[in-house]
Amino acid sequence: MLDGEAGVFALRLDELFRSLPGPDGRPYSAKTIAQRAADRGYRIGESYLSQLRSGKAKSPSFRTVEGLAAAFDVDIRHFLTDDAERRTRAEIERFRATADPEVHRVAQRLAGLPRETVAVVDDLVDVLHRRREPVVVDQGLHLVVDT
């Protein structure tokens, strides 16, 4: 979609469109982002937004960058510095996870359990992320790693 000439700003904006889910779990559209920016006091037209995303428009005003950050609900530094880009990637992953209905379902099931039990589940999730292997829990609550 973007060529090498599009620029860092366009690449970062396109990344948000492609990877940050909206409230319905699907990627944002230009229309939705333009409306979200307007709701927050920033005027950004859909066509200008498309030009920014494709790299045809290369020098947005600081006000436009503020509006885009507000519309996507990310730190403005995502568009300005490399360190913020790394932090914002982690934010995107968190937003993606929070938009997942399965994550909500599991979190709701944890509500009300003793803190120690929640800590055990949290540790198990860490293990699963590190190993990326399926885990089976038997009736006696002994973990069996399926290899």
Side-chain angles (χ1 to χ4, degrees):
M1 175 180 215
L2 297 172
D3 61 26
E5 308 252 334
V8 173
F9 184 86
L11 293 171
R12 290 179 181 175
L13 180 59
D14 186 60
E15 177 186 33
L16 291 175
F17 271 106
R18 286 183 294 105
S19 59
L20 189 65
D24 61 359
R26 296 183 356 214
Y28 284 112
S29 67
K31 181 178 182 176
T32 303
I33 290 299
Q35 184 59 54
R36 285 175 59 93
D39 292 346
R40 289 155 177 80
Y42 301 90
R43 289 188 60 187
I44 304 172
E46 287 178 56
S47 61
Y48 182 56
L49 191 52
S50 294
Q51 291 173 355
L52 287 170
R53 186 177 180 190
S54 69
K56 290 179 185 169
K58 296 181 193 289
S59 299
S61 69
F62 188 77
R63 178 95 176 136
T64 297
V65 177
E66 283 180 309
L68 290 170
F72 280 106
D73 198 25
V74 298
D75 190 309
I76 193 169
R77 291 174 292 182
H78 170 74
F79 295 106
L80 305 175
T81 66
D82 289 335
D83 289 341
E85 179 183 9
R86 284 190 288 277
R87 282 193 304 277
T88 304
R89 284 181 194 269
E91 289 173 3
I92 289 171
E93 290 305 315
R94 276 196 307 278
F95 288 135
R96 182 180 291 147
T98 59
D100 185 342
E102 285 299 305
V103 171
H104 285 281
R105 185 184 66 74
V106 171
Q108 288 171 343
R109 293 184 66 207
L110 288 170
L113 290 175
R115 179 174 280 157
E116 297 80 18
T117 303
V118 173
V120 169
V121 172
D122 190 39
D123 290 343
L124 174 61
V125 170
D126 286 341
V127 169
L128 291 172
H129 277 288
R130 282 193 303 270
R131 296 190 74 165
R132 296 284 186 193
E133 295 178 4
V135 172
V136 178
V137 179
D138 70 15
Q139 296 294 356
L141 297 180
H142 299 284
L143 297 180
V144 178
V145 177
D146 195 19
T147 55

